[in-house]
Amino acid sequence: MKNLLSAADLTRDEALAILDTAQRMHAVQTRAVKKLPPLRGRTVVNLFFEDSTRTRSSFEIAGKWLSADVINVSAKGSSVSKGESLRDTVLTVAAMGVDALVVRHNASGAVQRIAGWVGCHVVNAGDGTHEHPTQALLDAYTLRARLGDLTDRHVVIVGDITHSRVARSNVLLLSTLGARVTLVAPPTLMPSGVSSWACDTSWDLDSVLSGNASGDVDAVMMLRVQRERMSGGYFPTEREYAIGYGLSPERLDLLAPTAPVLHPGPMNRGLEISSVAADSSRSVVLDQVQAGVSVRMAVLYRLLAGAEEVGV
């Protein structure tokens, strides 16, 4: 595997190999000394043109725990903010002899362009409203930890699908792993072309959760309403959205006791998810954060050190 640009890049065997490697990497988090040697002497640059806390921090920790030299570069204060083109900035960084670029950009498709310009490994850490493949991997890791094999499991993803790179990557990866996905959103937040995606769609959350429309629900993922990407009125009021599509205590009760509740974060409590749901025993939000380090360790390891057995 040269790069990880899209969840569609992964076959079922490749995805399972990353998840299995992540499971072994997970043991590092319980150690007093959290270090493995396989990436010693390798250099990883986190090149973030869009703000992030969870993703950048977890990639930084992942690289450092694998003994790589990790450098963080943000757009603010970089040559891009002084007028340099994206291509020149990327080629300048790559020319310093880095082994991998972890890139987040606010333009869809930017990371794919970057991968065509450089010879080092490239990981997509989120590009616009396009994809976020490592988020989908950590979501799948979290689901497997709770549900086991995802074949024929039914995962419902609810919220701002139009602006969500997480939803796109999850549909691709979960379908590759054999799960069935249903997207639920108001019509204004359901993207055009969604009929060609490998999933079902619905506008009626209560019907889906109660099993009347799509069968039993094994897990629910709530998506953040991305108000910063909205230029118009996608729904009348926040209260109306919460009533129609928020995971309220009443909707939480429609789920099976074993059904986990996921959220990629950051959460808008009281909008797409109630505090009762966010803090319930079924919430695996913090498990997702913890899984992020293990999964990103696995991705960096398999890109930079090959597929040899991990000694942990």
Side-chain angles (χ1 to χ4, degrees):
M1 187 168 65
K2 167 68 173 176
N3 302 314
L4 180 56
L5 307 178
S6 165
D9 294 341
L10 300 171
T11 65
R12 176 180 171 83
D13 288 343
E14 288 170 336
L16 290 175
I18 291 173
L19 297 177
D20 290 341
T21 301
Q23 190 169 9
R24 295 193 290 274
M25 293 292 187
H26 186 80
V28 176
Q29 298 186 40
T30 62
R31 292 181 172 183
V33 179
K34 300 175 176 64
K35 280 282 187 178
L36 292 175
L39 299 190
R40 184 181 295 138
R42 301 298 189 103
T43 302
V44 177
V45 173
N46 292 329
L47 193 57
F48 276 55
F49 297 94
E50 186 179 61
D51 291 337
S52 169
T53 299
R54 291 167 178 80
T55 303
R56 187 172 69 176
S57 297
S58 63
F59 267 114
E60 182 177 2
I61 292 170
K64 289 181 175 179
W65 283 1
L66 289 170
S67 300
D69 296 312
V70 181
I71 300 169
N72 292 320
V73 179
S74 63
K76 295 176 182 177
S78 73
S79 297
V80 172
S81 66
K82 301 173 186 176
E84 185 175 68
S85 70
L86 174 64
R87 185 175 187 273
D88 286 339
T89 296
V90 169
L91 289 176
T92 299
V93 173
M96 297 177 187
V98 304
D99 297 290
L101 290 175
V102 178
V103 184
R104 169 169 284 200
H105 201 281
N106 57 11
S108 300
V111 183
Q112 281 78 0
R113 293 294 301 274
I114 289 170
W117 295 333
V118 300
C120 63
H121 299 281
V122 178
V123 179
N124 184 356
D127 62 327
T129 60
H130 179 227
E131 278 213 52
H132 196 351
T134 60
Q135 179 68 45
L137 282 164
L138 73 87
D139 292 338
Y141 181 94
T142 304
L143 287 169
R144 284 216 312 170
R146 286 295 183 104
L147 303 175
D149 185 8
L150 298 183
T151 302
D152 295 329
R153 294 291 193 173
H154 184 197
V155 180
V156 175
I157 302 177
V158 186
D160 184 0
I161 309 296
T162 291
H163 301 101
S164 178
R165 52 194 171 207
V166 174
R168 286 166 173 77
S169 288
N170 265 288
V171 168
L172 288 167
L173 183 65
L174 290 174
S175 60
T176 296
L177 294 174
R180 182 163 58 96
V181 180
T182 299
L183 300 178
V184 182
T188 52
L189 290 175
M190 195 72 80
S192 61
V194 71
S195 59
S196 66
W197 296 16
C199 63
D200 299 321
T201 59
S202 176
W203 299 339
D204 189 340
L205 178 57
D206 291 318
S207 179
V208 171
L209 294 186
S210 63
N212 294 331
S214 302
D216 295 334
V217 174
D218 294 297
V220 172
M221 180 184 301
M222 307 305 297
L223 299 176
R224 181 173 67 88
V225 175
Q226 300 187 43
R227 287 170 286 197
E228 73 278 7
R229 298 186 187 274
M230 296 180 180
S231 57
Y234 285 83
F235 46 86
T237 65
E238 291 187 356
R239 182 175 182 272
E240 182 170 316
Y241 180 90
I243 291 172
Y245 295 95
L247 188 59
S248 63
E250 293 75 23
R251 290 192 173 114
L252 187 67
D253 289 339
L254 294 176
L255 298 174
T258 56
V261 174
L262 298 88
H263 194 301
M267 293 185 288
N268 294 313
R269 289 175 181 254
L271 184 55
E272 72 264 6
I273 188 169
S274 66
S275 289
V276 171
D279 298 329
S280 73
S281 60
R282 280 179 275 192
S283 172
V284 293
V285 174
L286 293 181
D287 293 351
Q288 290 172 270
V289 174
Q290 191 176 52
V293 177
S294 302
V295 164
R296 283 156 184 152
M297 286 177 73
V299 169
L300 291 175
Y301 176 83
R302 296 188 69 84
L303 283 177
L304 295 174
E308 294 86 359
E309 187 68 20
V310 184
V312 297

